[in-house]
Amino acid sequence: SAVSRSPREPFLAWPGLASLRLTLPLSYLFFKIFYSIFGGASLLAKLRRPHVDFYFPWEMRLPFLPSWTLVYLTVPLLLLLTPFILRTWRTFMPFFLTLTTETLVGGVFFLALPLAQAYPPRVADGFLGGVFHLTDRLNLDYNKFPSLHMAFAVTAAIRIGKRCGWLGRTLLTVWVVAVSASALLTH
């Protein structure tokens, strides 16, 4: 007799209203937590002087490539898609808790060690320049270390990679490397 196999679950799919009733409020709650801590830490850092200006000498020699902002922006895009990738409470809740913990730890560092921008003012024009400057404004002024952008990218790649085969995990690894490069190349 033939053994029937269930087809692989799709990577990206509609989770159903029951799941969305759980994951969307958690996504919204994370958004509120993130912007409260990220924004609040930056506002409080403005009140403190001096702001540490820490960098490695090799970083100052990196080219400024504003087009890499498009790669940088894939992190919030992937976070927006997670309710359609991690479609159940059981898979979404650990992801939510991890991102929230990373945000809280990052907030402590942002307050304890507000870092000023080490690079000279960056000039970018055209459409990609506009995208870069908007993204740079959203990054605020003093929240440089630790990079929550990188923490979120690595966390998403690990968690989502559990749902993938070797090719998907490889692509997620390449994506994390590209996101790392984008953070460096957009200064």
Side-chain angles (χ1 to χ4, degrees), residues 19 29 45 70 76 91 132 137 150 161 164 166 169:
S19 289
L29 177 60
L70 297 176
T91 58
F132 166 76
R137 286 189 62 100
M150 286 312 308
C164 301
W166 69 270
R169 287 190 298 274

Side-chain angles (χ1 to χ4, degrees), residues 3 11 24 26 44 46 78 93 97 101 117 119 139 176:
V3 176
F11 178 74
L24 287 183
L26 282 177
L44 290 172
K46 285 182 181 182
L78 184 62
M93 190 61 166
L97 292 173
T101 301
Q117 177 68 290
Y119 294 101
N139 281 332
V176 167

Side-chain angles (χ1 to χ4, degrees), residues 63-74 128 131-132 135 149 174-187:
F64 171 58
L65 303 174
S67 60
W68 278 74
T69 302
L70 297 176
V71 176
Y72 190 82
L73 290 174
T74 61
L128 290 176
V131 173
F132 166 76
T135 304
H149 213 76
V174 169
W175 172 73
V176 167
V177 170
V179 170
S180 299
S182 74
L184 292 171
L185 296 173
T186 57
H187 295 184

Side-chain angles (χ1 to χ4, degrees), residues 75-96:
V75 174
L77 176 64
L78 184 62
L79 294 180
L80 287 172
L81 291 175
T82 54
F84 304 94
I85 299 169
L86 307 174
R87 294 182 287 278
T88 66
W89 175 265
R90 191 174 300 253
T91 58
F92 191 81
M93 190 61 166
F95 184 68
F96 163 80

Side-chain angles (χ1 to χ4, degrees), residues 151-185:
F152 295 167
V154 169
T155 300
I158 290 170
R159 186 67 192 107
I160 291 169
K162 291 180 180 182
R163 297 186 28 82
C164 301
W166 69 270
L167 179 59
R169 287 190 298 274
T170 301
L171 291 173
L172 284 165
T173 300
V174 169
W175 172 73
V176 167
V177 170
V179 170
S180 299
S182 74
L184 292 171
L185 296 173

Side-chain angles (χ1 to χ4, degrees), residues 16 52 56 66 145 182:
V52 178
F56 296 106
F145 177 80
S182 74

